Amino acid sequence: MNDPKSIIYLDNAATSWPKPPGVVEAIERNVRENAANPGRGSHEMAVKASRVLFDARKRLARLFGIGNPNDIAFALNTTHALNLAIQGLLKPGDHVIATSLEHNSVRRPIEAMKRRFGIEATFIAADEQGNLNVKDVEAAITPRTRLIAASHSSNLLGSIAPIADLGELARRRGARFLVDAAQSAGVLSIDVEAMGIDLLAFPGHKGLLGPQGTGGLYIHPDLDLEPLMHGGTGSKSEAPEQPTVRPDRYEAGTQNTPGIAGLSEGVQFVLRETTKAIHDKERQLTFELMEGLLGIEGVRILGPQIGVERTAIVSFTIEGIDPSEMAFLLDRQFGIAVRAGFHCTPLGHETAGTYETGAVRASPGYFTDKSDIVSMIDAVREIVGTMGRRN
Ligand SMILES: Cc1ncc(COP(=O)(O)O)c(C=O)c1O
């Protein structure tokens, strides 16, 4: 088994690792010192636990340009937040527009709503590089279009969607705008007001550098979603229905307070470093990785060309080599963690022309070192050389 200290971790698009200083300590401190139930009591420890949640909400609100921190509901992950948004908003007869780059976390809830409630959906095709034409989205709008949904950055291609233009379009045409920020939160600048975002689903465990089991949804103040879950909130206990007050309306049951304590530290780290510095460093590593891989025979990199803005996602195929075998050998022989396969986006693979093969995905993070990139390139070159001789 690989020693964590010696692992070269290039799977940050799945979950970021390692976490910045302070995250683990905040989780531990919370469990040791503030372990009471937030919002469920007025004793000092419960109040302290509530404060942990509110402080995290305040930091997230600062990061995303959100006026009222209580418009953020915590969730288990991006998938949970996206389901709350999609299932909470759409009603029978509605039409939704999404893109061919959506993750299954957007696509599957939409498909389920199609089956159960007869909503209609249109998936707008991006080109092979991940470019999305806003005019194509506009042309698909009908009087029943209630929602436009788009992932900010493709988890397969690393391409970046024209979020502000889509937000402007949605506003102008009276639709709501949902952004899947799974690959952009903590890395790209996001301002919900300026970008016309009504619903922002984000993970806590990727670019925000918190632990797994955390995430959230920003819900525009004039939007009332049907809650996904009903249950105890510690407020309006006499009422048979879910309270309308936020965030309680969308946060039934005890929250993941230790996880959110860790997330809060992660967000604080991002605020201190700035998304610009984080993105600048990751962009540099990404371009170096692309350049090195392109120097190896048979490598094809998916998504935007070198020099075009993207997030730190480098998916590639190698002629004659199965992506799963490449990932296996990188792990076993070189201690390099990458992901191979279909990346939960069959639509994205159709778009990229890799539906038959899948792809290897390497995703550097803010704590990736230049030497890790060199090791990755050398390892791929060596495997290609060995397998070339074998074939
Ligand atoms: C674009 C995109 N959307 C949604 C998700 C789901 O995220 P989570 O694992 O936080 O539910 C991912 C995960 O990789 C993703 O990349």
Side-chain angles (χ1 to χ4, degrees):
M1 209 159 53
N2 290 317
D3 171 6
K5 283 191 233 63
S6 68
I7 284 177
I8 295 178
Y9 187 81
L10 296 177
D11 196 17
N12 287 277
T15 282
S16 59
W17 187 85
K19 305 300 177 185
V23 169
V24 174
E25 292 77 359
I27 297 168
E28 186 179 339
R29 201 178 324 116
N30 184 266
V31 176
R32 282 188 190 284
E33 296 171 17
N34 285 339
N37 202 315
R40 304 296 197 277
S42 52
H43 57 84
E44 196 181 330
M45 205 195 250
V47 171
K48 275 189 184 164
S50 298
R51 197 164 300 135
V52 168
L53 300 191
F54 191 65
D55 286 347
R57 260 186 257 276
K58 274 202 303 200
R59 288 173 179 172
L60 286 160
R62 226 173 96 207
L63 183 66
F64 297 136
I66 293 166
N68 181 355
N70 287 330
D71 288 330
I72 298 168
F74 286 119
L76 286 173
N77 45 45
T78 329
T79 306
H80 180 196
L82 287 165
N83 272 272
L84 170 55
I86 292 166
Q87 296 192 50
L89 181 72
L90 295 177
K91 303 261 182 320
D94 284 346
H95 173 238
V96 52
I97 298 174
T99 81
S100 71
L101 296 175
E102 300 315 319
H103 190 275
N104 275 340
S105 309
V106 170
R107 200 233 182 143
R108 285 181 175 164
I110 289 178
E111 294 292 340
M113 296 293 280
K114 270 168 70 178
R115 283 194 305 274
R116 286 167 63 198
F117 301 113
I119 66 139
E120 276 182 39
T122 308
F123 289 89
I124 304 296
D127 70 15
E128 216 180 85
Q129 312 270 299
N131 297 308
L132 184 70
N133 191 336
V134 178
K135 287 204 175 77
D136 293 344
V137 178
E138 180 153 26
I141 294 177
T142 76
R144 292 186 295 104
T145 304
R146 178 133 171 86
L147 179 67
I148 297 174
S151 67
H152 195 171
S153 174
S154 159
N155 66 307
L156 177 65
L157 307 180
S159 54
I160 298 171
I163 290 304
D165 294 343
L166 289 170
E168 188 279 322
L169 171 66
R171 260 190 195 164
R172 182 158 46 78
R173 299 295 299 270
R176 295 299 189 162
F177 185 38
L178 163 64
V179 173
D180 170 359
Q183 297 300 340
S184 61
V187 176
L188 300 179
S189 161
I190 297 177
D191 185 312
V192 295
E193 270 308 310
M195 294 172 152
I197 299 171
D198 295 301
L199 295 155
L200 180 78
F202 60 88
H205 62 102
K206 300 186 198 249
L208 296 180
L209 307 172
Q212 294 180 356
T214 62
L217 180 71
Y218 159 72
I219 307 164
H220 192 282
D222 75 3
L223 197 53
D224 181 39
L225 301 181
E226 186 58 36
L228 197 58
M229 299 220 296
H230 301 254
T233 55
S235 56
K236 297 254 177 216
S237 289
E238 68 289 357
E241 70 276 354
Q242 204 63 10
T244 54
V245 65
R246 294 183 180 200
D248 304 19
R249 182 164 179 71
Y250 306 111
E251 289 183 353
T254 301
Q255 296 302 298
N256 174 10
T257 315
I260 292 166
L263 169 61
S264 192
E265 281 303 309
V267 176
Q268 182 71 342
F269 180 86
V270 170
L271 286 166
R272 252 194 330 259
E273 296 290 304
T274 75
T275 51
K276 181 176 178 323
I278 291 171
H279 182 47
D280 283 352
K281 179 178 175 195
E282 290 190 359
R283 187 203 293 108
Q284 180 65 28
L285 293 169
T286 301
F287 288 160
E288 284 173 18
L289 177 57
M290 290 171 76
E291 205 169 289
L293 290 176
L294 285 172
I296 300 170
E297 204 184 327
V299 168
R300 176 191 161 217
I301 293 182
L302 312 186
Q305 309 279 328
I306 293 185
V308 177
E309 268 295 356
R310 64 190 292 147
T311 52
I313 285 171
V314 181
S315 295
F316 61 97
T317 57
I318 305 172
E319 217 181 311
I321 300 181
D322 179 41
S324 304
E325 189 167 6
M326 174 56 78
F328 178 80
L329 292 172
L330 283 170
D331 179 49
R332 294 304 150 93
Q333 293 185 0
F334 299 91
I336 299 177
V338 297
R339 189 173 161 191
F342 281 89
H343 311 289
C344 302
T345 177
L347 291 175
H349 281 284
E350 275 173 18
T351 305
T354 51
Y355 191 77
E356 303 301 325
T357 56
V360 182
R361 183 182 73 183
S363 47
Y366 193 54
F367 301 111
T368 302
D369 209 76
K370 220 175 142 81
S371 64
D372 299 334
I373 299 295
V374 173
S375 300
M376 167 72 181
I377 296 164
D378 288 347
V380 172
R381 188 180 297 110
E382 197 174 319
I383 293 170
V384 170
T386 311
M387 292 187 78
R389 279 195 295 282
R390 197 181 72 181
N391 290 336

